[in-house]
Amino acid sequence: MVAPGILLVDKPGGLTSHDVVARTRRAFGTRKVGHAGTLDPMATGLLVIGIEGATRLLTYIVGADKTYRATIRLGEATTTDDAEGETTARAAAALVDAVTSAQLAEGVTALTGDISQVPSSVSAIKVDGRRAYDRVRAGEEIELKARAVTVSRFDVVAERREQGLIDLDVVVDCSSGTYIRALARDLGESLGVGGHLTALRRTKVGPFDVADAVGIDALDGAPTLTPGDAASKVLQRLDVSAEDARDLRHGKRLIEQAARLDGSIAAAIDQNGALVGIVEKRGRDLKSAMNMPEESR
């Protein structure tokens, strides 16, 4: 029997997130595998994979903040806002060369903080039940609505100028739902020269770091985090007695225990370190929002 767990995978370029899920299914011998947040085929880096019952935890991971390292090319715009698309416009070399470092810094600052962002038209967002990228590939023209996102860090760590182009290596900390391709596009548009993404690597998802991930060729026998350990990293940990664990598993409330939570939800961990489930406040009580099968350690 396959044990539930959270697997951290360092996705290589050229594979879809679904490709990684398929390989994980084969490596672990189970169909019950999912991931917490898609990476484009061009992108590399951290995919958080849920296996068996741990897929229930993905709901609580997918909304976590992310960290990316990326390269933005200014001077060219593409159909997909990244290097996989066709070039739609190239600015005159003199216009790109005239962009100063101060103007770059001003453009980056304008895209930092709480911003309104229009996702790339080739994103995975569903429009009337179909992915936006499927509609674009079918020749449809679509307009996606702007959404509120937070870019808490947008740092330029290197700047290179060559042949009428500017390449910026950046580090971005952002809320879930932020499109780094859209940041590249919007920065280029604000400077009047166009822009797109040439490289993207996700290094963090919430508390999980790509440094702890395994490569795609090391999935067989790869170590996983138990649901209890993973949930304790993502949410507040609430240690419960054997009696409370039994009550939660039977759908009973923990009477007068809501004050134990700092926020609205927490991971209930039993005396063996296993995840009982996710609990939430209901008045002055705690109620199970999601129960896990009993976990062996």
Side-chain angles (χ1 to χ4, degrees), residues 146-166:
R147 55 173 59 187
V149 298
T150 300
V151 178
S152 52
R153 175 169 63 151
F154 191 174
D155 291 343
V156 177
V157 296
E159 176 185 329
R160 298 181 297 280
R161 295 173 181 255
E162 186 177 0
Q163 298 179 339
L165 298 171
I166 303 174

Side-chain angles (χ1 to χ4, degrees), residues 28-145:
F28 282 80
T30 177
R31 293 288 302 169
K32 199 168 184 180
V33 176
H35 66 78
T38 301
L39 277 177
D40 294 330
M42 184 190 84
T44 69
L46 184 59
L47 266 183
V48 179
I49 304 289
I51 299 169
E52 288 291 334
T55 55
R56 301 182 190 184
L57 283 177
L58 299 179
T59 298
Y60 302 94
I61 298 173
V62 70
D65 289 351
K66 315 289 194 302
T67 298
Y68 295 90
R69 289 187 172 273
T71 300
I72 295 172
R73 174 159 291 177
L74 298 174
E76 289 181 342
T78 72
T79 54
T80 59
D81 302 327
D82 64 20
E84 294 191 323
E86 297 179 4
T87 300
T88 56
R90 178 159 186 169
L95 189 62
V96 178
D97 293 341
V99 175
T100 67
S101 294
Q103 289 173 318
L104 288 174
E106 184 179 348
V108 166
T109 298
L111 292 169
T112 305
D114 296 329
I115 64 172
S116 180
Q117 182 186 74
V118 177
S120 171
S121 61
V122 291
S123 67
I125 293 172
K126 286 189 176 181
V127 179
D128 295 330
R130 290 176 58 201
R131 301 290 184 186
Y133 56 72
D134 286 334
R135 290 185 174 274
V136 170
R137 289 168 184 165
E140 298 181 36
E141 290 189 10
I142 63 170
E143 290 188 14
L144 298 176
K145 295 180 180 179

